[in-house]
Amino acid sequence: MNDANRTPWVVGISGASGTPYAAAVLRGLLDAGESVDLVVSRASRLTLLDETGIAFRDARWKDDLRQWLGQGADGKPGTFDVDVTDVRHWAAGDMAAGPSSGSYPVKGMLIVPASTACVAGVALGLSKDLLQRAASVTLKERRKLVVAVRETPLNGQTLRHLVTLDEAGAVVLPASPAFYAGATHIQDLVDFVAGRVLDAAGVPHRLYRRWKGELGGAQSRGD
């Protein structure tokens, strides 16, 4: 796509456990034909290495991203074939990056997963790195911000931060898998959460079986 016509979703990945959620959201966006601007925090690189064995490197980010998105939630490589052509990566320390400015055109931002430290930084407007700055810009420009918090239990301080984000217009979306969709594999549970993130963003997908008001529907494999 010509850069002049490109209006991406910013996807921020913080250091919380849950990198398979981020991978599923990224695949869903790309499958829907959306452009992505990716911000991977320093802490999330350690989580990614721990959960997948993949080192995310600025100099080889396309190769590392392709390997990561191709991996299933069970760690099996080559599960998915993903084209990362329309992904642009911004280093977390690049405070002059496009998403740091409200004049840079984006559709909105998805933070998946969101750590409690990230939640606090965005709620307090700290902008300590590009991820937090991009989220603050998203809020001030009244664009869609979805925060997929991944932590349990939650203390009072974090709950207050989440209320602050909600009042500022963000969608607070806990990474809570559901079982009515008939999950039979860990990827199904991951895809449910990713699908709910995409639902909140208004991006079409077919990641999970939707509720149709029929009890026992999860047992039907024909849907």
Side-chain angles (χ1 to χ4, degrees):
M1 180 182 294
N2 190 304
D3 281 352
N5 300 319
R6 187 176 182 274
T7 308
W9 285 95
V10 179
V11 176
I13 304 172
S14 78
S17 177
T19 55
Y21 293 134
V25 166
L26 287 167
R27 286 192 298 264
L29 287 170
L30 295 173
D31 285 347
E34 300 287 345
S35 302
V36 173
D37 274 22
L38 180 63
V39 182
V40 182
S41 76
R42 291 187 177 91
S44 69
R45 297 178 191 225
L46 297 176
T47 307
L48 182 63
L49 181 62
D50 182 56
E51 294 185 345
T52 70
I54 297 171
F56 192 89
R57 301 159 291 180
D58 287 337
R60 299 191 60 185
W61 70 267
K62 278 193 175 181
D63 292 335
D64 297 335
L65 179 64
R66 191 177 294 107
Q67 180 185 1
W68 174 32
L69 297 189
Q71 189 177 103
D74 58 0
K76 183 179 178 181
T79 301
F80 301 98
D81 183 16
V82 183
D83 182 1
V84 300
T85 302
D86 207 12
V87 178
R88 183 170 186 177
H89 169 253
W90 300 95
D94 185 2
M95 298 301 283
S100 69
S101 173
S103 66
Y104 182 78
V106 303
K107 291 183 177 178
M109 182 172 183
L110 316 175
I111 305 178
V112 187
S115 66
T116 54
C118 174
V119 166
V122 177
L124 297 173
L126 298 182
S127 295
K128 74 169 188 175
D129 61 9
L130 179 59
L131 194 159
Q132 292 184 14
R133 171 59 185 168
S136 294
V137 168
T138 301
L139 288 175
K140 80 179 183 68
E141 297 295 328
R142 301 297 191 267
R143 297 167 179 158
K144 180 79 73 176
L145 175 64
V146 182
V147 180
V149 61
R150 215 304 308 161
E151 187 64 77
T152 189
L154 298 173
N155 62 27
Q157 187 174 42
T158 298
L159 291 169
R160 285 188 286 272
H161 289 151
L162 292 173
V163 169
T164 297
L165 291 180
D166 175 77
E167 292 174 343
V171 175
V172 176
L173 194 150
S176 303
F179 297 87
Y180 63 77
T184 59
H185 190 277
I186 186 174
Q187 188 68 54
D188 297 328
L189 297 175
V190 168
D191 285 347
F192 178 87
V193 172
R196 295 298 287 152
V197 171
L198 296 177
D199 285 345
V203 175
H205 67 87
R206 298 184 65 183
L207 287 175
Y208 68 88
R209 174 190 176 278
R210 297 184 181 278
W211 176 251
K212 297 181 179 179
E214 300 173 2
L215 293 177
Q219 307 304 316
S220 173
R221 306 264 56 89
D223 287 350

